Structure formats: structure tokens, C-alpha cells
Amino acid sequence: MSKDVKNVPALRFKGYSDAWEKRKLGETNSYFTDGNYGESYPKESELSDKENGVPFLRGSNLRNGELIEDNANYITKEKHAELTSGHLVEDDIVLAVRGSLGALGYVKEENIDWNINSQLAVIRTDKSELSGKFLAQFLLSWRGQKELLSRNTGTALKQLPIKQLKDVPVPIVNLDEQKEISALFTSIDNLIAATQRRIDDLEQVEKTLLQHLFDQSWRFNVYSDPWVKSKVANMAKENFGGGTPSTKKRSFWTGSLPWIQSSDLDKSNKYTVIPKKFISSAALKSSAAKKVPSNSIAVVTRVGVGKLAFINYDYATSQDFLSFSFLNWSAFFSVNLLTRVMEQMSNEGQGTSIKGVTKSELLAKSVLIPTSLEEQISIGNLLKSFDDLIKSTSNRLSKLELLKTSLLKNLFV
């Protein structure tokens, strides 16, 4: 047992000033139970559907301190009853001791009596000096993760032996202070979860809009003219390919013209691209790269196929792109039309991820478009408004996650 006047967190709730005690986890009121040894993957006869089975978790079901049911296996209730360990109770901590080392999840009321496989272990307390919620938040903190991961053993197959985990130093804190800290993180976790659900809902609405607006089952009531068939090639007056200047000539990469590569684009954000590399005019002359005028649409046709973005500044690209410049159709309408075209071309590839499309294939693709530029603008603006809403909500989620990271650092020692 040790106390230290320096053993005090940087951020503290009012009314608490005593130094925290540090003690090995194995010397606390905590104890460990294994997952079901030898039961990494249930046999076919032991599997069940979601409605009639019990979730049987593995490392991939532990995410950001939560137990995630998505993609879980389900075992029959008979198999669940047969297993003698790994049955979860509220306030347990599920920890990955093989595979996804350091990942953990806190057991809430809705997770009671779920089961875990042999990649996982349970830390359980009697709440007399450590609550599971507080201990879980400490183990998620930078210091907690460092202590956990420093105790892995093995070479090809890393693992966290329970014997080693018992030596992890953990803070012993006034139970009331534990409750305050836990309540704060519960509030933040609830906000994060609600924000993520809102993003999921908005993305689903946008997907539905994209489908119904382009198959014309939904139309603005002020427009009634039939749409006409055209080719993607008619979208713009010019199109440009790209290239990669020699990486051996450093002077090529010290210019001011943004050079875009596939990794710079994000499928969830079709209107913002932050370039990471810039090339010189000499690089343009010495390679297949071309200067593309602002307000063009860059489409990835090779590595990362399907990504695209409207770019409002002059740029060049790698050879993985085809850019549409001097647009004949509404810009935002064209962005979303190309999104739909690329999805259709992927589906035509028998539902698999296609390796690429040729320039001629994309330009020859037949599409239907409104004859009215105003209708194109209305459709484009509506879909962009959802993109903007998703982006602002995603930014809020990032700020909440950053806040949680900061609190995990400053509320624990």
C-alpha cells in the first residue's frame, strides 16, 4: 500500500483533495474469471439466430469501452447454460487478453448474461473499494492502457496473462469521488452514442433521398418535364487525367499546386479535400500530371475507386483520377449523380469491390438528367444540405471524443 502527495489528478471535483492510493489490481477487491477456454468459435450445431440465441462475444465486439452486438455470434440457450464460465453480470469489465489486446467493454444492464469466448476475460469487483465503472474508465485512460499493454507476453501470438494483469497498479479512490467521475463519463458516453446515432440516421436519409430523387419517384412539385438520357461525357466540357511526378526530385515537391491522391478523399465528405502534397510547375512539365481548374469534380477510378469530391481550387492529381472541368450541369447535382453512377458500376461488378473503371467506361455511361438547370440545382442543394449537416454532426462527435480523451488523461493518475 502506498500514498504519495503527488498522486493527485490534474482535474478534480470540488470537495476532494486527498491523494489517491495506488495498489496492484490483484490486491484489491477485484477478481478475474476466464472466458470459455477452447470456445473461440462455436460449432455449427451450437449457433443460433439473434432472436433465439445469446450473444457470444469476441474481441471485435469490444469498442471504446462498450459491448457492441454488431457481428456477434449467437449461441443456443442450451449451449449457454452448459458453459460454466464467461456469463456476464452488470458492472463487469470484459477485457481482451488475446487478439485485440487492451480492448475492453463495460457491462451494462442490457448486456447481462451475455457470454464471451476464450479471447476474453472478466474483471469483477464487489464494489466495496472499486466500482467496475470507475475501474473500466481508468483502464481506458492513457495510463491504464499503457499498464495493460506493457504486460503482454508471447511473440507470434501476444496475450495478457491474468497473472500479469494482477500486477497492474490501479487507483483506490473515495467511493463518492468514483461515483462522480463515473457519472461524468456516463453522460459523455451517452452524448457520444446519441450523436453517432444521429449521424447514422442522417446518412440513411441521404441514401434514401439519393435513390428516390434520381429514379424520379420523388420530385419537387414545381417540375414536371421528363428527364432526358445523356452520357457522363456530356457533364463537362473537358476532363483531365493525372500523373505522379518523380519522387526522386525533391524540387518537384516544393511547389504551391495541390497534388491530390486517393487517400486525401473521404467518402463521407464530397465537398472538402485537404491536400497533403504540393508540386511545382517543373513537376507538371516533367510528368503526366495536369493542372486542373477550380470548381472541378475529381473521381477516383483506380485505387480507392468510387471516392469523389468537388474541389474549389486549382489542383493536380495522381493517375488514379479522372477530373471533370467546366461543368455543363449543376455542380452539386453532378457530384451526387457521379456518386450514384460509381455505386451502380460497383454493383454491376457482381456486388464485389471493383478494382477500377476505365476512362472510356465512365464517360460512356448513360444517365438521366433533368432538362431544367433549376431542378438540377434544387436536387444538388438539397443533397448538399444533408452532407453539410452530417459533417457538422461529425465535427461535434469528434469534439466530444476529444473531450473524453482529455478527461481520461486529466481525471486519472
Side-chain angles (χ1 to χ4, degrees), residues 359-374:
K359 174 180 175 179
S360 57
E361 285 174 335
L362 179 55
L363 294 176
K365 191 72 176 176
S366 292
V367 292
L368 288 172
I369 65 165
T371 54
S372 163
L373 180 62
E374 288 76 16

Side-chain angles (χ1 to χ4, degrees), residues 346-366:
S346 293
N347 292 335
E348 288 167 4
Q350 299 178 343
T352 59
S353 177
I354 56 178
K355 294 180 179 179
V357 298
T358 66
K359 174 180 175 179
S360 57
E361 285 174 335
L362 179 55
L363 294 176
K365 191 72 176 176
S366 292

Side-chain angles (χ1 to χ4, degrees), residues 45 60 116 153 161 179 181 187 227 285 313 342 345 368 390:
S45 60
S60 59
I116 61 175
T153 63
K179 288 178 183 177
I181 292 172
S187 297
W227 288 21
K285 294 176 183 177
Y313 49 80
M342 296 305 287
M345 294 182 83
L368 288 172
I390 290 168

Side-chain angles (χ1 to χ4, degrees), residues 93-149:
I93 301 167
V94 180
L95 179 67
V97 293
R98 299 175 190 85
S100 309
L101 297 186
L104 62 93
Y106 176 73
V107 179
K108 302 176 183 178
E109 183 179 359
E110 58 264 32
N111 311 129
I112 291 174
D113 217 31
W114 288 10
N115 218 304
I116 61 175
N117 76 0
S118 60
Q119 296 177 331
L120 310 176
V122 170
I123 304 175
R124 188 171 292 167
T125 78
D126 65 11
K127 304 182 183 63
S128 62
E129 56 186 7
L130 272 177
S131 73
K133 181 68 173 177
F134 175 80
L135 180 56
Q137 295 297 350
F138 169 73
L139 294 175
L140 281 169
S141 71
W142 173 84
R143 188 174 298 276
Q145 286 289 296
K146 181 181 177 182
E147 294 289 356
L148 286 174
L149 296 176

Side-chain angles (χ1 to χ4, degrees), residues 191-210:
L191 271 175
I192 289 173
T195 306
Q196 183 59 63
R197 286 195 299 271
R198 178 165 174 74
I199 292 171
D200 294 342
D201 289 344
L202 287 169
E203 287 178 342
Q204 185 56 52
V205 170
E206 184 186 38
K207 185 177 179 181
T208 302
L209 278 173
L210 193 64

Side-chain angles (χ1 to χ4, degrees), residues 12-29:
R12 206 83 186 265
F13 281 95
K14 188 176 180 180
Y16 304 102
S17 58
D18 292 345
W20 286 10
E21 178 188 342
K22 281 287 184 70
R23 198 186 302 166
K24 291 181 179 180
L25 190 54
E27 297 171 354
T28 69
N29 65 325

